Amino acid sequence: MSRVPGWLGRLGAGLTEMGDRLNARRAQAEKDDDFDGGDDFGRSNGTDRGGKDSADVPAVSTANGNGTPPQPPSPPSDTLVAAPAPAARPDPAAAVPWGMRVAAEAGWRLLVLAGTVWVLMRVISAVQLVVLAFVAALLITALLQPTVARLRRYGVPRGLATALTATLGFVVMGLVGWFVVWQVMENIDNLSDQIQDGIDELQRWLLNSPFHVTEDQIKDIAKSLREAVGANTDEITSAGLEGVTVIVEALTGILLTMFSTLFLLYDGKRIWQWTLKLVPAAARPGVAGAGPRAWRTLTAYVRGTVIVALIDAIFIGLGIFFLDVPMAVPLAVFIFLFAFIPLVGAVVSGALAVVVALVTQGVFTAVMALLVVLAVQQIEGHILQPFILGRAVRVHPLAVVLSVAAGGMVAGIGGAVVAVPLVAVTNTVVGYLRSYSQEPALRTSPVPRGATATGVAPVEHRPPS
């Protein structure tokens, strides 16, 4: 019983001593902190915290009794150590892989470009008639403008030269259209009888052919065709009613085309100069240089296409005429018109001539007509187009097919006609702008040496001395 108070007393004394030591160490740490802050402030201002000059402050002894510098007090074993600060997080953009960043940058730009193209296509589809009329006027102007320029060189006034050229051009096109309609109306009755005879002959040929086609199968096909026509009578009637609207739109487009052609022939240069004012000043020199080159490309395309189409129509028309195929002249005119749709138009017009020969003159005549069409088209593709069109409007066949398909899907036959010249002009403009942007770099680049100097170095034009 007597030991319990003594044990409690020793425990209390130990706790009291430990608390005193902790207080002393805390006070020493605060004193060291105050001394460091005051020393720094005194060094920067030349005074201590009391306002006295640092020269009046007694120097602190730097050695103990043995002549060695005093050691800093070791931290107590029970002092808490502060945790290290967390590392700074990297920039989120730097944490993304480089390839993904490039893909994202290209992706949103492509999305903006696709949205712009979509809006542009929506606007064009809303005013499709106006756009097609203006593009047709550009094509006709490219065909007629050299005649205006030639008349101007002969001293004819600009207004009179424009009126003469436009009147002559529209009269010729009108006569061609009237001739086609007249020939079709004159031969439609005879053609229907020949088609019926040809169908009967084709039926007899199928019965005796190695394809083993039976008469019941032929009757089933004919019955299905009659049922299809009878079932779609309402749609055919509505299409006939819509034909009135189509005629009105066609007349409107023709008037817009004639009106636009007149002004482009008469005042095309000033229209182009006004268009250049809409371009930003920084890009105006490049666009001003690309415009004439684009116009030369369009002019070369229209001239070459007209010559090639005319040659195709003459030779194929002569071939089917000597084969006694009816309506040879209207078919030749159709071949001429369809030649303005590259690749696709030649196939469609040639197939039309072969089908007419098949149903009117029989299988042998159709085979001969097919040989004539293929021979003329081969000559066209390998000789006429490279020689006449040249490198000015050279477009890859894949680009031609894709552009014709896209133009046909967007704007029908008119879109298919203007697709290829649009691609050719775009190719010329992009190529010129790319070379134009590289000219400053070529001027500042060092002059190449050796065998490549002639082909690489920019040509320096010097005035004659």
Side-chain angles (χ1 to χ4, degrees):
M1 187 71 182
S2 62
R3 293 181 179 180
V4 175
W7 176 78
L8 290 175
R10 287 193 298 274
L11 179 61
L15 293 174
T16 302
E17 183 179 0
M18 185 180 297
D20 293 339
R21 284 188 295 178
L22 289 174
N23 292 332
R25 290 174 181 173
R26 186 179 296 108
Q28 181 66 28
E30 293 177 355
K31 183 177 180 181
D32 292 341
D33 293 341
D34 294 340
F35 179 76
D36 292 339
D39 190 23
D40 294 340
F41 183 77
R43 283 195 298 268
S44 61
N45 295 283
T47 58
D48 58 2
R49 286 181 298 174
K52 300 179 181 180
D53 196 300
S54 58
D56 298 336
V57 179
V60 180
S61 176
T62 60
N64 55 14
N66 298 327
T68 60
Q71 300 294 330
S74 59
S77 59
D78 56 351
T79 303
L80 298 177
V81 180
R89 294 183 177 180
D91 186 10
V96 179
W98 175 254
M100 188 176 294
R101 293 173 63 184
V102 173
E105 293 283 342
W108 72 259
R109 285 177 171 83
L110 289 176
L111 287 176
V112 172
L113 182 61
T116 304
V117 172
W118 183 81
V119 172
L120 181 62
M121 296 305 297
R122 296 287 293 180
V123 173
I124 291 176
S125 62
V127 291
Q128 178 178 341
L129 179 63
V130 178
V131 173
L132 289 179
F134 182 75
V135 173
L138 282 176
L139 296 177
I140 297 174
T141 303
L143 180 64
L144 300 180
Q145 192 270 337
T147 305
V148 176
R150 190 174 294 109
L151 291 176
R152 291 280 293 152
R153 286 196 297 268
Y154 291 154
V156 180
R158 183 173 59 180
L160 181 59
T162 301
L164 290 176
T165 304
T167 302
L168 180 62
F170 289 128
V171 166
V172 170
M173 287 185 283
L175 287 176
V176 170
W178 169 80
F179 180 76
V180 172
V181 174
W182 173 63
Q183 286 290 313
V184 171
M185 297 302 295
E186 285 289 328
N187 296 278
I188 190 67
D189 295 332
N190 187 24
L191 180 64
S192 62
D193 296 336
Q194 290 181 343
I195 289 176
Q196 184 63 42
D197 296 338
I199 291 175
D200 295 337
E201 182 179 353
L202 181 61
Q203 180 178 353
R204 290 191 297 268
W205 181 82
L206 289 175
L207 291 175
N208 299 323
S209 68
F211 298 109
H212 304 290
V213 179
T214 63
E215 187 174 358
D216 294 335
Q217 291 176 338
I218 296 176
K219 290 181 179 179
D220 291 339
I221 295 174
K223 182 179 179 182
S224 300
L225 291 176
R226 285 193 298 269
E227 291 177 353
V229 173
N232 297 321
T233 303
D234 296 336
E235 295 182 4
I236 295 174
T237 304
S238 62
L241 295 177
E242 291 178 358
V244 179
T245 306
V246 172
I247 292 175
V248 173
E249 291 182 355
L251 292 176
T252 305
I254 291 173
L255 291 177
L256 284 175
T257 301
M258 296 175 63
F259 190 77
S260 302
T261 303
L262 284 173
F263 277 97
L264 288 175
L265 287 173
Y266 180 77
D267 219 7
K269 186 175 181 180
R270 285 197 294 180
I271 293 175
W272 170 245
Q273 292 175 352
W274 175 82
T275 306
L276 283 179
K277 296 179 181 179
L278 304 178
V279 181
R284 195 172 297 165
V287 176
R293 289 166 175 80
W295 182 251
R296 285 197 293 269
T297 299
L298 183 62
T299 304
Y301 173 82
V302 175
R303 289 182 188 174
T305 304
V306 169
I307 296 175
V308 171
L310 187 61
I311 294 174
D312 285 353
I314 290 174
F315 283 97
I316 295 178
L318 288 176
I320 60 178
F321 175 77
F322 286 117
L323 290 174
D324 289 332
V325 178
M327 292 198 308
V329 177
L331 287 175
V333 175
F334 278 116
I335 291 170
F336 173 80
L337 296 177
F338 275 93
F340 284 91
I341 306 176
L343 297 180
V344 180
V347 174
V348 173
S349 59
L352 179 62
V354 173
V355 169
V356 173
L358 176 64
V359 299
T360 57
Q361 299 297 326
V363 178
F364 177 77
T365 305
V367 172
M368 297 303 296
L370 178 62
L371 292 178
V372 171
V373 170
L374 291 178
V376 173
Q377 290 181 358
Q378 290 299 315
I379 294 174
E380 170 202 341
H382 293 87
I383 298 177
L384 295 179
Q385 285 189 353
F387 179 74
I388 296 175
L389 296 179
R391 299 184 60 89
V393 291
R394 179 168 293 181
V395 181
H396 196 275
L398 179 60
V400 172
V401 173
L402 294 179
S403 60
V404 169
M409 294 174 62
V410 172
I413 297 178
V417 171
V418 304
V420 176
L422 179 61
V423 171
V425 169
T426 303
N427 184 32
T428 302
V429 171
V430 171
Y432 173 79
L433 292 179
R434 182 173 60 248
S435 62
Y436 179 81
S437 63
Q438 293 174 354
E439 284 184 1
L442 291 176
R443 296 192 194 100
T444 58
S445 62
V447 179
R449 301 178 182 276
T452 60
T454 304
V456 177
V459 179
E460 184 175 350
H461 299 281
R462 297 180 179 178
S465 57

